[in-house]
Amino acid sequence: MKIVIAGAGEVGFHLAKLLSFESQDITLIDIDKDSIAYADTHLDIRTIRGDTTSIATLKEARIENTDLIIAVTASETTNITVCVLAKQMGAKRTIARISNTEFIENQEVAGFKKFGIDELISPESLAASEIELLLNQSAFNDSYEFENGALTMVGTSLSRTASFVGKSVKEAALIFPELHFMPIAIQREGTQYTLIPRGDTIFKEGDQVYFMTVKGGVDELYKLTGKVKQRIKNVMILGGSKIGYKTARDLCTHNFHVKLVEKDNDKAFDLAEKLPKTLVIHGDGRNVELLEEENIYDMDAFIAVTGNSETNIMSCLVAKSKSVKKTIALVENMDYFQLSHSIGIDTLINKKLLAANNIFRYIRKGDVVAMTKLNNMNAELLEFIAKPNSQVIGKRIRDLDFPRSATIGGIVREGRGIIALGDHTIKVGDRIVVCCLLRSINKVERMFI
């Protein structure tokens, strides 16, 4: 697949890096000499230094033969322009990164597809949605919804009190005979090894386990994992960034009590006007005395989304020391993901990873409609639509030639989530969620083409 990425900033470089691992034909364009030089020396891709909105530059990138162009520069105006030009010049599919979430909320009204823009993505909007989902599943440290919650993936670290620690997957299933959930991936404590669980796999204390569950199944998981469903009502947000603003706005809409701390005076006043239901505080959130004055002890959740990863991590640690139940930090450095649980922060989120997950489904074979990577694990969750000619149609799951490094976590049929057991038969139109290690993705994809 020939892919052109316009913009070699953080999101563009990260995408190019991930896509280059997939052996795709990647061309990266940016006008900044240092960004292009860095990409050229660190990635096995083609690089072009030039204006991304220049027709001559796009011609040099052979845009007329491009399957997908992804415009992820820092300027949404540039990204929109690039996509419009590329579509007119023959690009098959276009994706534009934007920061104005109104564009996403009013896509049909604006008619972006008429201009030649197939998809809009906003890393900030994705991050805000991720935060809200994490607050709703408060005892878990990672989550993702398929088909508006028909199936939900949740991740949690197993404590000693989990009722199935020391038991196999089969034994754990007997605790709840109706089985409204299924383990789909495990990472052993202190390792980087991802395990796709089988019936004889033993759960161990400290395991980071990802489960697939249907509506109502989350409550069973609370009981099984020994977690307590914490009622999140009072939330403090550090940083009036785009993510901070959208998170505060959305949480207030759902009747959360929100305090937002912003150190820039003008920005704080501006946010106070835009967010009438949010208490906006002008001050430095790194100041422990300020946090105590604003009753951080009474907060159920603390969300740090400033532009500085270290500030976000340290402020979350302070919040945790003040007995805040749930802490979420925005980080830019992917390496920090390995540290999150060991240092005591509940969840780290990363805009680049969220944007990459959102874009990746467009380069997958088969009819992939949703995709996410599991944090700090070499596994992906893919949602396929079963086509009439797919190898899987009419077969029971146990009869499929499925690799051992992959598992079907669930099926959405006519809007209803089903935990897929061996005797389930796959039908045309089923939406099938598969968890697989990177080495087995190609084989799994071929089964759904």
Side-chain angles (χ1 to χ4, degrees), residues 30 40 115 212 256-257 281 361 372-373 422:
D30 201 292
D40 194 41
F115 300 127
M212 187 64 66
F256 286 81
H257 300 145
I281 301 154
R361 68 182 190 268
T372 187
K373 281 181 175 290

Side-chain angles (χ1 to χ4, degrees), residues 286 304-315 330-332:
R286 295 172 296 184
V305 287
T306 73
N308 186 291
S309 299
E310 288 74 22
T311 295
N312 296 338
I313 290 171
M314 293 307 297
S315 58
L330 176 72
V331 297
E332 293 301 322

Side-chain angles (χ1 to χ4, degrees), residues 6-227:
E10 290 179 339
V11 176
F13 179 84
H14 184 65
L15 268 172
K17 180 179 178 181
L18 291 178
L19 292 169
S20 66
F21 293 153
E22 303 275 325
S23 301
Q24 306 289 347
D25 180 1
I26 309 295
T27 301
L28 182 64
I29 308 172
D30 201 292
I31 200 165
D32 184 75
K33 180 174 70 174
D34 293 336
S35 297
I36 281 296
Y38 184 82
D40 194 41
T41 55
H42 287 78
L43 301 177
D44 184 20
I45 60 172
R46 182 183 178 219
T47 59
I48 298 174
R49 185 189 171 203
D51 181 357
T52 53
T53 60
S54 163
I55 290 176
T57 302
L58 293 175
K59 282 182 177 179
E60 186 181 351
R62 298 190 288 276
I63 205 72
E64 69 279 0
N65 298 320
T66 297
D67 297 301
L68 175 66
I69 180 160
I70 308 166
V72 286
T73 72
S75 165
E76 68 180 16
T77 306
T78 299
N79 296 336
I80 290 170
T81 303
V82 168
C83 287
V84 171
L85 288 172
K87 196 74 167 187
Q88 294 299 317
M89 295 171 70
K92 292 178 183 174
R93 193 170 188 85
T94 61
I95 301 175
R97 172 192 178 180
I98 53 98
S99 54
N100 186 347
T101 55
E102 278 189 336
F103 289 159
I104 289 180
E105 293 160 3
N106 298 281
Q107 283 192 62
E108 299 305 319
V109 176
F112 285 100
K113 289 196 175 182
K114 295 176 185 175
F115 300 127
I117 303 170
D118 295 307
E119 298 290 339
L120 296 172
I121 63 158
S122 166
E124 293 79 13
S125 181
L126 292 169
S129 298
E130 178 83 354
I131 290 168
E132 189 173 355
L133 183 58
L134 286 165
L135 293 183
N136 289 331
Q137 311 288 1
S138 58
F140 300 107
N141 54 38
D142 197 4
S143 56
Y144 189 86
E145 287 187 346
F146 294 89
E147 304 305 319
N148 298 315
L151 289 174
T152 301
M153 179 276 292
V154 292
T156 188
S157 180
L158 296 186
S159 62
R160 195 170 47 214
T161 58
S163 60
F164 52 81
V165 165
K167 294 181 173 65
S168 69
V169 172
K170 281 183 180 178
E171 290 169 336
L174 294 175
I175 298 174
F176 281 95
E178 294 182 5
L179 199 67
H180 295 132
F181 62 90
M182 176 180 285
I184 56 172
I186 297 175
Q187 186 177 69
R188 298 294 190 201
E189 186 178 24
T191 73
Q192 298 299 309
Y193 179 66
T194 303
L195 179 70
I196 300 297
R198 298 292 168 185
D200 57 355
T201 302
I202 304 294
F203 292 106
K204 297 182 180 180
E205 181 184 347
D207 281 353
Q208 173 69 16
V209 185
Y210 287 85
F211 294 94
M212 187 64 66
T213 182
V214 297
K215 287 180 179 176
V218 172
D219 292 333
E220 292 178 0
L221 282 172
Y222 278 116
K223 297 173 188 175
L224 266 177
T225 57
K227 303 288 183 181

Side-chain angles (χ1 to χ4, degrees), residues 392-400 421-426:
V392 298
I393 296 299
K395 293 183 180 178
R396 294 184 302 175
I397 288 175
R398 65 163 57 96
D399 297 329
L400 296 174
L421 301 179
D423 57 353
H424 272 89
T425 300
I426 296 174

